[in-house]
Amino acid sequence: MMQVVLCKTGEPKKIVVEQLEESDYKIITKSKYHFIWKDQKSNDVYKLRLIENEEILGLISLKVHIDETRIEILLLACSIENTGNNKMYDRIAGNLIAFACRESIKLFGADACVSLVPKTELKKYYISKYGMIDAGRQIYLESNSLFSLLKEYKV
């Protein structure tokens, strides 16, 4: 079962990642989730929330590239209260990336790949934190690095 960690106590909390519903767009404002998510409606957008309530902790927008056997992460964000040194929950972004990895495996099996174009300041962080591989403008996960992340986040 996928989990985030309550930073104050270290207590694990069960989560679910599910497709964003049309009604969710009313509550995912730029001031709370960093971006204008309505611009992502043409992609596959998912939300991460606690099992125990409906509060959205993080969001991810994915695009499938069938011909390249990969899923591209177009946008990834934690809610405002879950970013920075005083965040409420940890492991939100990692769980969302691991979810993208699982979806890629469902589609492409052993050829699965997940990529993203990071903001410059986040590139080194993603490489060290999630084991992503540097491919110049993009970074990605495949084979061992992809499966390691799945194991780490129990997806």
Side-chain angles (χ1 to χ4, degrees), residues 85-120:
N85 293 331
N86 296 319
K87 62 186 165 193
M88 190 179 301
Y89 293 100
D90 194 21
R91 298 174 58 90
I92 295 169
N95 272 295
L96 287 167
I97 295 168
F99 170 80
C101 291
R102 184 184 75 191
E103 295 303 295
S104 188
I105 289 170
K106 283 181 185 176
L107 290 171
F108 307 118
D111 295 328
C113 179
V114 171
S115 68
L116 65 94
V117 177
K119 292 179 181 172
T120 309

Side-chain angles (χ1 to χ4, degrees), residues 18-29 33 37-38 41 45-47 49 54 56 59:
E18 55 196 12
Q19 190 104 39
L20 199 67
E21 297 169 25
E22 186 63 35
S23 59
D24 291 325
Y25 285 100
K26 292 182 184 88
I27 57 171
I28 55 171
T29 61
Y33 297 95
W37 284 87
K38 288 179 183 170
K41 281 187 175 186
V45 183
Y46 296 89
K47 60 185 174 184
R49 66 171 182 83
E54 295 295 317
I56 299 170
L59 297 159

Side-chain angles (χ1 to χ4, degrees), residues 30-86:
K30 183 177 181 182
S31 62
K32 185 161 168 114
Y33 297 95
H34 304 281
F35 302 101
I36 301 170
W37 284 87
K38 288 179 183 170
D39 294 348
Q40 297 297 313
K41 281 187 175 186
S42 62
N43 302 312
D44 296 320
V45 183
Y46 296 89
K47 60 185 174 184
L48 181 150
R49 66 171 182 83
L50 297 174
I51 293 279
E52 63 195 44
N53 65 41
E54 295 295 317
E55 182 187 357
I56 299 170
L57 304 178
L59 297 159
I60 191 168
S61 175
L62 304 175
K63 183 175 183 180
V64 177
H65 296 276
I66 298 285
D67 54 326
E68 299 173 17
T69 63
R70 74 179 169 98
I71 290 180
E72 180 180 7
I73 299 173
L74 299 171
L75 208 50
L76 172 68
C78 298
S79 60
I80 294 287
E81 62 272 2
N82 288 298
T83 56
N85 293 331
N86 296 319

Side-chain angles (χ1 to χ4, degrees), residues 109-147:
D111 295 328
C113 179
V114 171
S115 68
L116 65 94
V117 177
K119 292 179 181 172
T120 309
E121 66 271 15
L122 291 176
K123 186 174 186 177
K124 287 180 182 173
Y125 175 77
Y126 281 127
I127 290 169
S128 66
K129 177 84 174 170
Y130 304 115
M132 296 188 113
I133 301 159
D134 191 344
R137 193 171 140 265
Q138 289 198 17
I139 54 177
Y140 67 97
L141 292 161
E142 68 176 7
S143 64
N144 289 345
S145 60
L146 187 142
F147 289 106

